Amino acid sequence: MKQKLFIFLGLTLLAGSLQAQSPVLVEDELAVVYYMPKTQVAITVEYDQVQVAPGPFYQYAQRYLNTDNVVLEAQTYYELTNMHIYTQAVADHERAYKVHAQRDVEAQLLSLTADGLLYGYNVGPATVVSQATEENTVAKPMEEVLMPLLEEQMIASSIAKMAEGAARQIYHIREMRLNILTGDVEHVPADGQAMQLVLNELNQREQALTELFVGRKQVTHLSKTLYYTPSDAPHPAMIARFSKFGGVVDTEDLSGEPIHMNVVATKQSLHSNHAVEDKKALQPSEIYYNLPGQAAISIRYKNITKTISCPVAQYGVAIPLAKDLFVKHKPTIYFNTQTGNITSIQK
């Protein structure tokens, strides 16, 4: 149900719907509402788009270059090269909390991030940490290249004559390169840098001519980031497929091999040694921190496996700070916006 959330002393006016298990807000209630973080896993898949095209003289490659390793038809295919895992935090709207105005805890001293995560108490504005998000890189079409032939070859009467002329150019370049390296030329390049420039130019020229026989290959490096939120769902789970014909594709596309994710969770509980139910503790305040759980997260595609161990906020429990902490002092408290845990308390 939509309700207006009025934030105390000039904080941003919020409007939204809270889940049934979230604190219930009544109309015109003055309170600061904040959310616990939820850990989101991002998987970046790096892959190459490989485009190959036959050269116009592929039929003469064996005759003039003594090779049959040639491209016979144009095709495009994809190769997965690497995968990476990292985590980021988003607001968990199912775990919302509120701090009332005119209570022991001064609500105006709370600092929230732009998406409502608790950053600190009695501190300055939250430091904005940008989350880098990668989108699917746009694949490049193979560029057309003019044949690097001289006028003599271009006006030849047949393809066979053009191929013969191109082969002569290749042999000439090879001979010229050998003469430069052995010093058997009339004008030797002035220094090592000049010689390298000349050799690079000869190599590029030979490569362009050789591609007329063996074919051309163009590789475009691509990446796509998949997002997954760990939950109580059974694992391992298929998050995508990788296809030789389409790169990263949906799980329903049977042209690809599956990319699996496995999550081994260690959930936190109130009976943990870290979340002590201290009988001597004073009454709880309205400020809660999160004691996160842990998880080992792995992704697998064929023989490529990547694994990380990290805290997972939604596997944790919310614990209130003691109200006594705020009675005589205005402590400075910093919270970890990635996990919801306390970073530091200074009285």
Side-chain angles (χ1 to χ4, degrees):
M1 180 178 68
K2 293 269 184 177
Q3 296 181 339
K4 297 179 181 178
L5 313 181
F6 292 89
I7 302 307
F8 189 65
L9 288 182
L11 292 176
T12 307
L13 183 66
L14 301 177
S17 58
L18 298 178
Q19 303 294 333
Q21 60 268 45
S22 300
V24 177
L25 294 176
V26 298
E27 188 74 18
D28 297 333
E29 181 180 17
L30 291 175
V32 173
V33 176
Y34 64 93
Y35 303 101
M36 287 297 179
K38 179 164 58 178
T39 301
Q40 189 177 65
V41 181
I43 304 98
T44 298
V45 181
E46 296 179 352
Y47 59 105
D48 290 338
Q49 180 198 60
V50 182
Q51 296 172 288
V52 294
F57 306 148
Y58 73 94
Q59 293 176 307
Y60 303 95
Q62 180 65 44
R63 179 190 301 180
Y64 293 118
L65 301 184
N66 193 30
T67 181
D68 55 6
N69 184 20
V70 299
V71 177
L72 299 179
E73 60 178 354
Q75 60 176 316
T76 299
Y77 58 92
Y78 298 85
E79 297 177 336
L80 191 148
T81 57
N82 208 347
M83 295 188 295
H84 304 280
I85 313 174
Y86 62 93
T87 60
Q88 60 186 22
V90 296
D92 188 347
H93 293 277
E94 295 184 356
R95 300 174 71 195
Y97 297 86
K98 63 181 178 180
V99 178
H100 290 90
Q102 300 173 350
R103 296 283 180 93
D104 294 322
V105 176
E106 299 183 43
Q108 74 272 19
L109 296 181
L110 288 172
S111 294
L112 308 181
T113 63
D115 52 354
L117 298 177
L118 184 58
Y119 171 77
Y121 181 81
N122 194 26
V123 300
T127 303
V128 177
V129 179
S130 60
Q131 295 282 357
T133 57
E134 299 180 61
E135 299 296 333
N136 193 21
T137 313
V138 178
K140 297 179 181 179
M142 179 172 278
E143 299 176 356
E144 294 186 7
V145 179
L146 296 177
M147 288 196 297
L149 299 178
L150 301 177
E151 181 181 2
E152 178 184 353
Q153 287 85 47
M154 292 299 295
I155 63 175
S157 57
S158 66
I159 293 292
K161 286 291 184 181
M162 294 175 68
E164 181 182 357
R168 285 204 198 97
Q169 284 191 37
I170 293 175
Y171 302 146
H172 179 66
I173 290 172
R174 292 175 179 176
E175 182 179 0
M176 185 182 303
R177 181 171 55 229
L178 179 62
N179 291 337
I180 292 175
L181 292 173
T182 59
D184 189 17
V185 290
E186 183 176 351
H187 300 288
V188 180
D191 53 33
Q193 183 177 2
M195 177 179 286
Q196 189 60 54
L197 290 174
V198 172
L199 292 175
N200 289 344
E201 182 65 29
L202 292 174
N203 292 338
Q204 292 175 9
R205 180 73 177 174
E206 181 185 357
Q207 176 67 25
L209 289 166
T210 302
E211 287 178 349
L212 297 177
F213 293 89
V214 301
R216 189 157 56 94
K217 180 178 181 179
Q218 177 175 295
V219 179
T220 304
H221 302 295
L222 306 172
S223 68
K224 184 172 184 177
T225 300
L226 310 168
Y227 297 96
Y228 181 84
T229 301
S231 63
D232 294 330
H235 290 94
M238 188 193 308
I239 58 174
R241 291 179 181 268
F242 187 83
S243 169
K244 179 181 178 180
F245 310 102
V248 180
V249 295
D250 293 335
T251 56
E252 294 81 7
D253 191 335
L254 299 183
S255 69
E257 295 290 332
I259 300 175
H260 283 110
M261 167 178 281
N262 192 38
V263 178
V264 179
T266 302
K267 295 185 178 181
Q268 199 61 260
S269 69
L270 287 175
H271 299 288
S272 167
N273 291 332
H274 298 286
V276 178
E277 293 181 346
D278 189 353
K279 295 180 180 180
K280 297 180 181 180
L282 298 179
Q283 292 298 313
S285 69
E286 293 181 327
I287 297 182
Y288 285 73
Y289 68 95
N290 187 57
L291 195 62
Q294 294 285 326
I297 302 173
S298 61
I299 52 175
R300 176 174 53 84
Y301 171 76
K302 291 186 175 180
N303 61 339
I304 301 177
T305 301
K306 300 285 183 171
T307 302
I308 63 169
S309 296
C310 61
V312 178
Q314 57 267 38
Y315 289 160
V317 293
I319 302 173
L321 290 171
K323 189 180 296 185
D324 183 59
L325 183 64
F326 304 91
V327 173
K328 297 180 181 180
H329 310 280
K330 290 182 181 179
T332 297
I333 308 174
Y334 285 94
F335 297 88
N336 187 324
T337 56
Q338 298 297 306
T339 65
N341 209 344
I342 296 174
T343 301
S344 65
I345 299 179
Q346 300 175 1
K347 293 186 178 181

